[in-house]
Amino acid sequence: MPTVLLTGANRGIGLEFARSFAADGWRVIACCRNPDKARDLKALAATAPEQISVRRLDVTDGLKVASLARELADVAIDVLLNNAGVYGPRTGFGETDYDAWLPVFAVNTLAPMRMAERFVEHVARSERRLIVNISSRMGSITENTTGGAYIYRSSKAALNMVGKSLAIDLAERGIAVVAFHPGWVQTDMGGPNAQITVAESVAGMRRLIDRLTIDDSGRFYAYDGREIPW
Ligand SMILES: NC(=O)c1ccc[n+]([C@@H]2O[C@H](COP(=O)([O-])OP(=O)(O)OC[C@H]3O[C@@H](n4cnc5c(N)ncnc54)[C@H](OP(=O)(O)O)[C@@H]3O)[C@@H](O)[C@H]2O)c1
């Protein structure tokens, strides 16, 4: 049974990933900040308790990330899926909330790096050896044609650079690292007018995960398989 470790698994895209992997027989280590309030995730876990384990994890808490990595020391993690993310304040030029910028970086950029450092041995001993960073097309410098969103865009562009360096550094261990754009998805972050459902987004990303090889490492893909320029 392959294993995925997933952050931000209590709602939105993360919850759908948990559902999808579990339905396909994967073992799911479903991490979320507050399991006590994660009603949907706990209900899902109750349907397949031998497959889904819910773990408390705030990805910005370095000590907790390290202690979870120690607790899971014997576990091989086929796919480390850095999904947790925040958008930050939706302010335009001239209204930048500087105090809010670093907290967004802490979740979107620093945390995936920390997860990769703490869980690299777990991934290295698995069969699949894949790290997926859920980024955003808004982090593409080439495809930025509309401006704005300074805080979110810069955090995801920085995440993309983190992923690219990880892909190079971890290649000799046979670990592939990719960035995904999930599409504009109907979640709390994407809003109700977004283009696609979580099911469509996750189905596309699952297909990608199934077919990716080490040759795809260091690349940036949309949920529909299109490669996105950095
Ligand atoms: N929706 C879109 O259109 C879209 C487009 C491009 C990229 N993305 C990316 O896709 C990923 C998932 O987004 P979504 O749409 O599912 O967003 P969402 O519905 O707002 O869910 C965000 C998830 O991240 C978790 N999270 C935030 N801060 C955390 C922390 N410090 N520690 C642990 N978990 C934390 C949240 O947990 P809590 O419930 O505890 O807050 C929640 O589970 C994000 O990386 C996002 O940037 C989304």
Side-chain angles (χ1 to χ4, degrees):
M1 187 188 286
T3 298
V4 58
L5 187 149
L6 179 58
T7 62
N10 56 305
R11 60 188 168 102
I13 293 167
L15 179 63
E16 182 62 21
F17 263 127
R19 211 175 262 137
S20 163
F21 277 111
D24 287 347
W26 286 56
R27 178 176 176 203
V28 182
I29 303 168
C31 301
C32 64
R33 270 202 278 210
N34 194 342
D36 306 330
K37 291 190 182 157
R39 208 175 328 130
D40 295 339
L41 178 59
K42 283 199 297 192
L44 175 68
T47 65
E50 68 295 340
Q51 266 177 272
I52 305 176
S53 64
V54 177
R55 310 300 295 248
R56 182 184 298 274
L57 188 66
D58 181 329
V59 293
T60 64
D61 187 334
L63 290 176
K64 294 281 164 48
V65 173
S67 89
L68 183 63
R70 278 195 303 274
E71 274 176 52
L72 299 175
D74 300 334
V75 179
I77 294 174
D78 291 85
V79 178
L80 171 61
L81 220 162
N82 287 312
N83 165 75
V86 289
Y87 195 89
R90 295 174 190 258
T91 49
F93 179 80
E95 304 164 336
T96 302
D97 181 346
Y98 290 91
D99 292 335
W101 205 323
L102 287 176
V104 172
F105 259 72
V107 179
N108 292 0
T109 315
L110 278 64
M113 177 69 189
R114 180 183 290 117
M115 292 293 291
E117 289 194 312
R118 292 291 169 256
F119 286 94
V120 66
E121 298 304 332
H122 310 65
V123 176
R125 80 169 71 93
S126 76
E127 292 208 351
R128 199 67 184 74
R129 284 180 290 196
L130 179 63
I131 297 176
V132 175
N133 292 327
I134 302 298
S135 179
S136 169
R137 181 170 170 255
M138 291 183 77
S140 166
I141 291 172
T142 307
E143 297 208 346
N144 182 359
T145 54
T146 53
Y150 294 88
I151 294 178
Y152 185 69
R153 280 191 191 281
S154 61
S155 72
K156 293 294 192 180
L159 171 63
N160 289 347
M161 185 58 88
V162 163
K164 183 75 188 187
S165 277
L166 284 173
I168 294 166
D169 288 345
L170 302 182
E172 63 185 14
R173 307 195 67 182
I175 297 175
V177 184
V178 291
F180 280 178
H181 167 55
W184 183 22
V185 192
Q186 292 154 16
T187 63
D188 292 339
M189 187 185 292
N193 298 325
Q195 278 166 346
I196 57 171
T197 63
V198 282
E200 289 173 279
S201 170
V202 167
M205 291 190 284
R206 288 291 320 282
R207 277 193 290 276
L208 270 170
I209 287 171
D210 287 347
R211 74 158 173 76
L212 289 176
T213 71
I214 191 77
D215 294 334
D216 296 294
S217 194
R219 295 178 182 273
F220 185 12
Y221 291 107
Y223 76 102
D224 58 4
R226 179 176 79 91
E227 187 167 3
I228 300 181
W230 297 115

